[in-house]
Amino acid sequence: MKHILISDPTLRDGSHAIQHKLNVQHLTLYAELAEVSGIPVIEVGHGNGLGASSLQLGESAISDTQMLETCRNILNKTKLGIHVIPGFATINKDLKNALDIGVDVIRVASHCTEADITKRHIEYCRRREREVYGVLMMSHTAPASILAEEARKMQDYGAQGIIIMDSAGAYLPDTVKSRIGVLVDTLDIPVGFHAHNNLGMAIANSIAALEMGATILDGTMRGFGAGAGNAQLEILVAVLEKMGYETGIDLYKLLDAADTAEASFLKVPYVDSTSVVSGLTGVFSGFAKPVDRIAREYNLDPKDIFYELGRRKVVAGQEDIILEIAVSLSQSSNIGVTPSSRQ
Amino acid sequence: MKHILISDPTLRDGSHAIQHKLNVQHLTLYAELAEVSGIPVIEVGHGNGLGASSLQLGESAISDTQMLETCRNILNKTKLGIHVIPGFATINKDLKNALDIGVDVIRVASHCTEADITKRHIEYCRRREREVYGVLMMSHTAPASILAEEARKMQDYGAQGIIIMDSAGAYLPDTVKSRIGVLVDTLDIPVGFHAHNNLGMAIANSIAALEMGATILDGTMRGFGAGAGNAQLEILVAVLEKMGYETGIDLYKLLDAADTAEASFLKVPYVDSTSVVSGLTGVFSGFAKPVDRIAREYNLDPKDIFYELGRRKVVAGQEDIILEIAVSLSQSSNIGVTPSSRQ
């Protein structure tokens, strides 16, 4: 029976869905549920990772230190993980502190064409003898050959596995298959996939990835995550079980845990109209909330903003462009070029 | 560019999600939205189809006649469809009345091994020169060869297309592919697929079906439907567009329509823990609401009831078994055999 490593970013990607307002009670409950269900790794922190709490990206309710210490005190078999984007997280302050608290697993992430920025962070984690992975975000925006090249850099830096993210939920299964296939052929380390559900394909894309040799899959309870949400963990585990894969997670306990977490703080995401357009245009799911807010302020259709964001190929961290586009769209509509005529 | 016929049972399968309480305002709004968006066919009625309103299955808020007349008065390009299960709907009263009102498209449905019961209904619709399809429900419970045999019977009766339903949301894409492949090879008429999302595969299974030659797909706005819901229509149309298929539906207008319908009466379904078990065990999604209700009454875990329903291979119409199982489970738990020890 083939083993799949499930990594659960409910307490990290899910932060996007509640404006990064996870508190000690949420974290305590979830860490306990993860431990009971046998989830191998949970990722904890601000939606954009370690050190990303800020006015522009949204401020966390509590500090990185509080979040990590809360979970560290509870977790035993379940490993404590973090998502780290160099630029948001410095080595000497943020990363050192997280490792001192006792983080087990570090994922160092960059835009899919910028692996170079992960070198020092990956090397630092290896020197301190932690489990470290490289993550390529917005992976749909680069061809398979470039992804393979960037992933190989991360492998050379010392990454022990590579995860590609479908940050906009833009993939269909065939595209996932071809990309994962190239990565599995190119690399000497495990390959993983992180899905979003904008085109309803989060589970199907995850299964497509493992059929091509991926052995690491991300999933969150109820799909709790940015925009249309992630691969729903309970479904993922059920389907893997049905297909004869082994995850070490107790499905029955996981289903109970999801009911408990939902009753407490999980918001169940769904694919709204904006999410569909976000998936079609390939814009990062984390843009959904600010786009909706700014569209309301400027009395615009959020779908029009997403089309324009897609045309400009924006990436996370460029949220200020939303406002610029909104201003420009509302000026156009004042001179008779209505958003709907843009179709 | 290949054309796919989209049929939309929002106002029929969605009835399950609101205890069949669709009213004239809901129907009027939705028919107008369907017409504006260019949806080719909408199916209207009680969740279990024409003539199914009853104490056991749930009573419709308004009569079949009122529902059909309301939509008939609005629809022009969009065709008016009904779902008909012989046994619930008689020919001389229910079906004659519906055709007199001006229904354009009739789907005559049976359990997947009982096509014989559809003969007289299909023949009647053909005599009255309407568009008529055969539907095989709970199609995951029979092997491909039996499905092909039953579908061929419906073709012989005069059906102009065959739709197989994944009534429990139990399929994975590979199983869909093998079944649709056999049907397409066997039949001389178009083949269609009706998905449910219990295992998160509604969109992926629909795409798998069309890759094997299916040309009719069912989808509902926001996935509004029994249990975990159907294939979400807006996503389906977006993905088909991305893949280069043509549906005649205006995606942008459809997304606006879904926003409007959601603000009015659509409940957005999601895959709760009961739905996952329903998909895994292969039990009809329409059982979800009564199972949840009875589980609460008897202080049982709905997942335990679903496991037992799956073991007994129940089909729609056997809802009285839920109570029997609940009584028996609560007696077992009183003598020390707890539901969780059943795992």
Side-chain angles (χ1 to χ4, degrees):
Chain A
M1 196 183 268
K2 198 163 176 190
H3 181 78
I4 300 295
L5 173 62
I6 297 285
S7 184
D8 169 4
T10 300
L11 296 180
R12 197 273 304 163
D13 214 336
S15 295
H16 286 293
I18 52 171
Q19 286 82 40
H20 316 285
K21 294 304 178 237
L22 287 172
N23 63 32
V24 171
Q25 287 72 38
H26 304 149
L27 296 162
T28 302
L29 173 69
Y30 197 86
E32 286 168 353
L33 294 172
E35 190 73 26
V36 167
S37 314
I39 298 173
V41 186
I42 61 169
E43 234 174 84
V44 177
H46 184 278
N48 299 74
L50 192 72
S53 174
S54 62
L55 209 58
Q56 194 199 21
L57 295 173
E59 291 183 285
S60 298
I62 58 175
S63 70
D64 286 341
T65 299
Q66 282 178 292
M67 285 195 260
L68 295 174
E69 282 178 346
T70 301
C71 293
R72 183 67 285 165
N73 288 337
I74 293 160
L75 297 179
N76 177 21
K77 282 178 294 184
T78 298
K79 291 178 182 172
L80 176 59
I82 50 172
H83 179 79
V84 175
I85 303 177
F88 293 144
T90 61
I91 293 177
N92 293 336
K93 194 167 133 275
D94 303 307
L95 195 52
K96 178 181 181 306
N97 178 51
L99 270 57
D100 289 346
I101 292 169
V103 162
D104 303 300
V105 180
I106 302 96
R107 287 186 171 194
V108 186
S110 77
H111 183 68
C112 59
T113 55
E114 296 172 8
D116 313 60
I117 69 164
T118 65
K119 183 170 191 285
R120 290 185 51 235
H121 288 68
I122 290 175
E123 288 171 348
Y124 176 79
C125 295
R126 284 306 298 272
R127 272 202 304 280
R128 292 198 55 182
E129 298 181 343
R130 305 299 164 96
E131 206 176 319
V132 59
Y133 296 83
V135 172
L136 295 169
M137 301 186 292
M138 293 288 280
S139 66
H140 69 290
T141 61
S145 58
I146 300 289
L147 290 183
E149 206 173 286
E150 298 292 310
R152 204 155 33 199
K153 286 184 196 170
M154 287 173 158
Q155 175 179 291
D156 292 344
Y157 304 154
Q160 293 153 295
I162 302 294
I163 290 89
I164 63 167
M165 288 194 166
D166 184 13
S167 313
Y171 279 125
L172 299 182
D174 284 347
T175 339
V176 173
K177 282 188 181 173
S178 59
R179 274 151 203 248
I180 294 287
V182 171
L183 289 173
V184 168
D185 288 346
T186 305
L187 302 172
D188 309 314
I189 53 179
V191 173
F193 185 71
H194 172 101
H196 279 274
N197 202 36
N198 299 59
L199 298 181
M201 290 294 192
I203 299 293
N205 284 343
S206 301
I207 300 304
L210 75 84
E211 284 176 342
M212 293 305 289
T215 55
I216 306 165
L217 293 177
D218 285 6
T220 66
M221 281 194 199
R222 293 286 189 264
F224 190 54
N230 295 62
Q232 190 173 330
L233 181 60
E234 316 90 86
I235 303 181
L236 194 58
V237 172
V239 170
L240 289 173
E241 213 163 87
K242 191 177 165 90
M243 294 178 73
Y245 291 89
E246 191 268 316
T247 65
I249 296 174
D250 182 322
L251 176 61
Y252 222 75
K253 289 180 181 160
L254 182 68
L255 291 167
D256 283 341
D259 289 344
T260 304
E262 183 191 337
S264 166
F265 71 96
L266 291 190
K267 283 180 65 176
V268 183
Y270 70 100
V271 187
D272 62 13
S273 294
T274 310
S275 297
V276 174
V277 178
S278 156
L280 261 187
T281 54
V283 176
F284 170 50
S285 301
F287 277 71
K289 284 215 176 287
V291 164
D292 276 337
R293 182 172 48 76
I294 292 171
R296 260 197 310 277
E297 276 172 31
Y298 283 78
N299 200 22
L300 292 166
D301 186 332
K303 299 197 290 295
D304 289 316
I305 299 180
F306 262 102
Y307 271 114
E308 184 60 21
L309 287 165
R311 208 184 58 76
R312 297 195 192 187
K313 297 190 190 305
V314 297
V315 299
Q318 296 186 309
E319 284 77 358
D320 46 345
I321 293 183
I322 301 170
L323 195 60
E324 188 189 317
I325 291 175
V327 170
S328 135
L329 282 180
S330 64
Q331 284 168 349
S332 323
S333 67
N334 286 341
I335 55 164
V337 187
T338 62
S340 56
S341 73
R342 294 163 45 75
Q343 263 287 279
Chain B
M1 195 181 269
K2 197 163 175 191
H3 181 78
I4 301 295
L5 173 61
I6 297 285
S7 184
D8 169 4
T10 300
L11 295 180
R12 196 274 304 165
D13 215 336
S15 294
H16 286 293
I18 52 170
Q19 287 81 41
H20 315 284
K21 295 303 179 240
L22 287 172
N23 63 32
V24 171
Q25 287 73 39
H26 304 149
L27 296 162
T28 302
L29 173 68
Y30 197 85
E32 286 167 353
L33 293 172
E35 189 73 25
V36 168
S37 313
I39 298 173
V41 186
I42 62 169
E43 233 174 85
V44 177
H46 184 278
N48 299 74
L50 192 72
S53 173
S54 62
L55 209 57
Q56 194 200 21
L57 294 174
E59 291 182 286
S60 298
I62 57 174
S63 70
D64 286 342
T65 299
Q66 282 178 289
M67 285 195 259
L68 294 174
E69 281 178 347
T70 301
C71 294
R72 182 67 287 163
N73 287 336
I74 294 159
L75 297 180
N76 178 20
K77 281 178 296 183
T78 298
K79 291 179 183 172
L80 176 59
I82 50 172
H83 178 78
V84 174
I85 303 177
F88 294 144
T90 61
I91 293 177
N92 293 336
K93 194 167 132 272
D94 303 308
L95 195 53
K96 177 181 181 305
N97 178 52
L99 269 57
D100 289 347
I101 292 169
V103 162
D104 303 300
V105 180
I106 302 98
R107 286 185 171 194
V108 186
S110 76
H111 182 67
C112 59
T113 55
E114 297 172 6
D116 312 60
I117 69 164
T118 65
K119 182 169 190 286
R120 291 184 50 235
H121 288 67
I122 291 176
E123 287 172 350
Y124 176 79
C125 296
R126 283 306 297 273
R127 271 202 304 280
R128 293 197 53 182
E129 298 182 342
R130 305 299 163 97
E131 205 174 322
V132 59
Y133 296 84
V135 172
L136 295 169
M137 301 187 292
M138 294 288 280
S139 65
H140 69 289
T141 62
S145 57
I146 299 289
L147 290 183
E149 206 173 286
E150 297 292 311
R152 204 156 31 197
K153 286 184 196 168
M154 288 172 157
Q155 175 179 291
D156 291 343
Y157 304 154
Q160 292 153 297
I162 301 294
I163 289 89
I164 64 167
M165 288 195 165
D166 184 13
S167 312
Y171 279 126
L172 299 181
D174 285 346
T175 340
V176 173
K177 281 188 181 172
S178 59
R179 276 151 202 249
I180 294 288
V182 170
L183 289 173
V184 168
D185 289 346
T186 305
L187 302 172
D188 309 315
I189 53 179
V191 173
F193 184 72
H194 172 101
H196 279 274
N197 202 36
N198 298 59
L199 297 181
M201 290 293 191
I203 298 293
N205 284 343
S206 301
I207 300 305
L210 74 84
E211 284 175 343
M212 294 305 290
T215 54
I216 306 166
L217 293 176
D218 285 5
T220 66
M221 281 195 200
R222 293 287 189 263
F224 190 54
N230 296 61
Q232 191 173 330
L233 181 60
E234 315 90 86
I235 303 181
L236 194 58
V237 172
V239 170
L240 289 174
E241 212 163 87
K242 190 177 165 90
M243 294 178 74
Y245 290 90
E246 191 268 316
T247 65
I249 296 174
D250 182 321
L251 176 60
Y252 222 75
K253 288 180 182 162
L254 181 68
L255 291 167
D256 283 340
D259 289 345
T260 304
E262 183 191 338
S264 165
F265 71 96
L266 291 190
K267 281 180 66 177
V268 182
Y270 70 101
V271 188
D272 63 12
S273 293
T274 310
S275 297
V276 174
V277 178
S278 157
L280 261 187
T281 55
V283 176
F284 170 51
S285 300
F287 277 71
K289 284 215 176 284
V291 164
D292 276 337
R293 182 172 48 77
I294 292 171
R296 260 197 309 276
E297 276 172 29
Y298 283 78
N299 200 24
L300 292 166
D301 187 332
K303 299 197 289 296
D304 289 315
I305 299 180
F306 263 102
Y307 271 114
E308 184 58 23
L309 288 166
R311 208 185 57 76
R312 298 196 191 186
K313 298 191 188 306
V314 297
V315 298
Q318 296 186 308
E319 283 77 358
D320 45 346
I321 293 183
I322 301 170
L323 195 60
E324 187 191 317
I325 292 175
V327 170
S328 133
L329 282 178
S330 63
Q331 283 167 348
S332 323
S333 68
N334 286 341
I335 55 163
V337 188
T338 62
S340 57
S341 73
R342 296 162 43 77
Q343 263 291 278

